[in-house]
Amino acid sequence: MGIFALVTGRPGPSGFGSASTAEQVTEGVDASNLTAIVTGGASGIGFETARVLALRRAHVIIAARNIEAANEAKQAIIKENISARVDVLKLDLCSLKSVRAFVDSFNALDLPLNLLINNAGVMFCPHQLSEDGVEVQFATNHLGHFLLTNLLLEKMKNTARTTGVEGRIVILSSLAHTTPYQEGIQFDKINDRIGYSELKAYGQSKLANLLHSNELSRRLQEDGVNITVNSVHPGLIMTPLMRHSPFLMKTFKLFTFWMWKNVPQGAATTSYVALQPKMKGVTGKYFVDCNEMKPSSHARDEKLAKKLWDFSNKLIDGASKS
């Protein structure tokens, strides 16, 4: 998948490309036996993903920080599709306490769980720490999702085992995973203000998403679990994610105008990996424009992935004790 394919929208080996929409890549799919959680499903590509999953008859749980916006999203989906099954639960990924409370609320619904779409994120934030004392981009984009996934894993395993239906976890990364700090993940300086770069910190968090996806996939395969884990780059889309850096993003867009997608196109790769029958059994891969792509050397570093896994667990343990 080269630059030419990106600009022209020419389909890749999957039959889809950068111009494909979420509806197109899931056409004919019946997801009526699936329950899905979409983090950040109240706006942007998260909303479009939730809408299309509901359109394909999945039961969708929108997990969002802003409950009012999430309820509006739910109403918009139901207005278009009267038979849609949509629930809303509060989730602030920047707070480990909120992640735990969300999982308790979800478990109380006594639903199965087939699909987990780790979509929510923040981008290019000025330096600040979360309530758990972790740099905000790393805390929101990686650590919150890391804990969420771990806490929901037993539910997903049980669902896959009892139904015989493959579970799927889709983790949104980004092409920005190729531009982290030099060493990839700054384990010893994760929260440092000195030397902080909002761009590199974002790249670091997106690299963490990819490493998390690969390591989780490896562990589940080792245990013979019927759950796949893949990461995706949705493409460049002007969404509320850009709110922290309007000038930076406008300048960036000026020079990269040919790479940008609309929201239905932006949700295509996530929807493809989550629902396409031809993705059955595919795990530990990285997808761009609905086609597999080779990520950076940092992202393919198994030692780095294992180190991040242990580091993330330590951060969570530390936060729970403080």
Side-chain angles (χ1 to χ4, degrees), residues 2-9 18 175 236 252-261 265:
I3 296 296
F4 179 76
L6 183 68
V7 178
T8 59
S18 61
L175 208 54
L236 294 168
F252 180 51
K253 192 169 184 183
L254 190 66
F255 291 101
T256 58
F257 64 91
W258 44 270
M259 292 171 69
W260 290 70
K261 296 181 175 186
Q265 291 167 342

Side-chain angles (χ1 to χ4, degrees), residues 130-149:
S130 71
E131 67 178 45
D132 303 296
V134 180
E135 187 274 314
V136 158
Q137 296 194 83
F138 191 82
T140 308
N141 296 348
H142 167 65
L143 199 64
H145 278 127
F146 179 84
L147 177 61
L148 177 72
T149 306

Side-chain angles (χ1 to χ4, degrees), residues 31-53:
S32 56
N33 62 333
L34 304 179
T35 303
I37 290 174
V38 181
T39 71
S43 65
I45 55 175
F47 169 73
E48 179 66 3
T49 303
R51 184 188 74 80
V52 171
L53 288 178

Side-chain angles (χ1 to χ4, degrees), residues 8-308:
T8 59
R10 191 180 68 184
S14 68
F16 301 109
S18 61
S20 304
T21 66
E23 285 197 28
Q24 286 168 347
V25 304
T26 59
E27 199 171 337
V29 173
D30 178 9
S32 56
N33 62 333
L34 304 179
T35 303
I37 290 174
V38 181
T39 71
S43 65
I45 55 175
F47 169 73
E48 179 66 3
T49 303
R51 184 188 74 80
V52 171
L53 288 178
L55 187 65
R56 302 299 173 228
R57 300 171 65 197
H59 183 176
V60 179
I61 289 82
I62 294 176
R65 190 171 46 183
N66 184 336
I67 284 293
E68 194 181 330
N71 278 315
E72 284 173 14
K74 173 184 173 176
Q75 292 313 315
I77 292 169
I78 291 169
K79 190 176 178 184
E80 178 196 291
N81 173 13
I82 199 78
S83 61
R85 293 175 293 158
V86 185
D87 284 301
V88 167
L89 289 175
K90 185 172 176 62
L91 171 64
D92 181 356
L93 286 154
C94 198
S95 158
L96 297 177
K97 185 180 169 188
S98 174
V99 172
R100 294 181 194 281
F102 168 85
V103 173
D104 288 344
S105 299
F106 175 74
N107 286 338
L109 295 175
D110 198 25
L111 293 168
L113 182 58
N114 308 92
L115 303 174
L116 174 60
I117 316 284
N118 288 345
N119 162 85
V122 293
M123 187 179 195
F124 301 163
C125 304
H127 185 275
Q128 55 186 304
L129 300 182
S130 71
E131 67 178 45
D132 303 296
V134 180
E135 187 274 314
V136 158
Q137 296 194 83
F138 191 82
T140 308
N141 296 348
H142 167 65
L143 199 64
H145 278 127
F146 179 84
L147 177 61
L148 177 72
T149 306
N150 280 358
L151 293 178
L152 290 170
L153 214 45
E154 276 312 307
K155 169 73 79 174
M156 289 197 76
K157 286 178 184 177
N158 287 338
T159 303
R161 195 165 43 239
T162 55
T163 62
V165 177
E166 176 185 84
R168 294 185 185 181
I169 298 171
V170 185
I171 298 177
L172 269 75
S173 180
S174 166
L175 208 54
H177 85 271
T178 59
T179 57
Y181 295 102
Q182 193 174 356
E183 64 271 48
I185 310 285
Q186 290 194 314
F187 294 106
D188 300 330
K189 299 184 281 188
I190 205 83
N191 301 325
D192 286 11
R193 186 182 290 274
I194 295 166
Y196 177 80
S197 157
E198 53 197 44
L199 277 77
K200 287 179 181 175
Y202 178 68
Q204 171 179 253
S205 71
K206 294 286 107 182
L207 171 61
N209 291 148
L210 242 159
L211 291 167
H212 173 212
S213 175
N214 292 349
E215 178 63 8
L216 180 57
S217 170
R218 187 189 69 76
R219 286 167 179 255
L220 292 175
Q221 277 183 290
E222 211 171 68
D223 295 341
V225 177
N226 190 22
I227 298 172
T228 63
V229 192
N230 293 289
S231 52
V232 305
H233 166 57
L236 294 168
I237 306 106
M238 192 59 83
T239 72
L241 195 60
M242 312 297 187
R243 63 186 172 275
H244 289 291
S245 50
F247 176 74
L248 184 66
M249 290 316 301
K250 276 176 188 162
T251 309
F252 180 51
K253 192 169 184 183
L254 190 66
F255 291 101
T256 58
F257 64 91
W258 44 270
M259 292 171 69
W260 290 70
K261 296 181 175 186
N262 59 35
V263 169
Q265 291 167 342
T269 306
T270 305
S271 303
Y272 175 86
V273 174
L275 288 187
Q276 255 294 331
K278 65 173 82 169
M279 282 295 298
K280 186 172 170 56
V282 177
T283 189
K285 306 296 184 187
Y286 171 59
F287 287 83
V288 179
D289 299 334
C290 302
N291 289 274
E292 190 186 326
M293 196 180 218
K294 191 175 176 182
S296 71
S297 55
H298 275 318
R300 302 194 308 274
D301 186 334
E302 288 183 17
K303 282 184 185 169
L304 190 62
K306 287 172 187 169
K307 188 175 180 183
L308 175 66

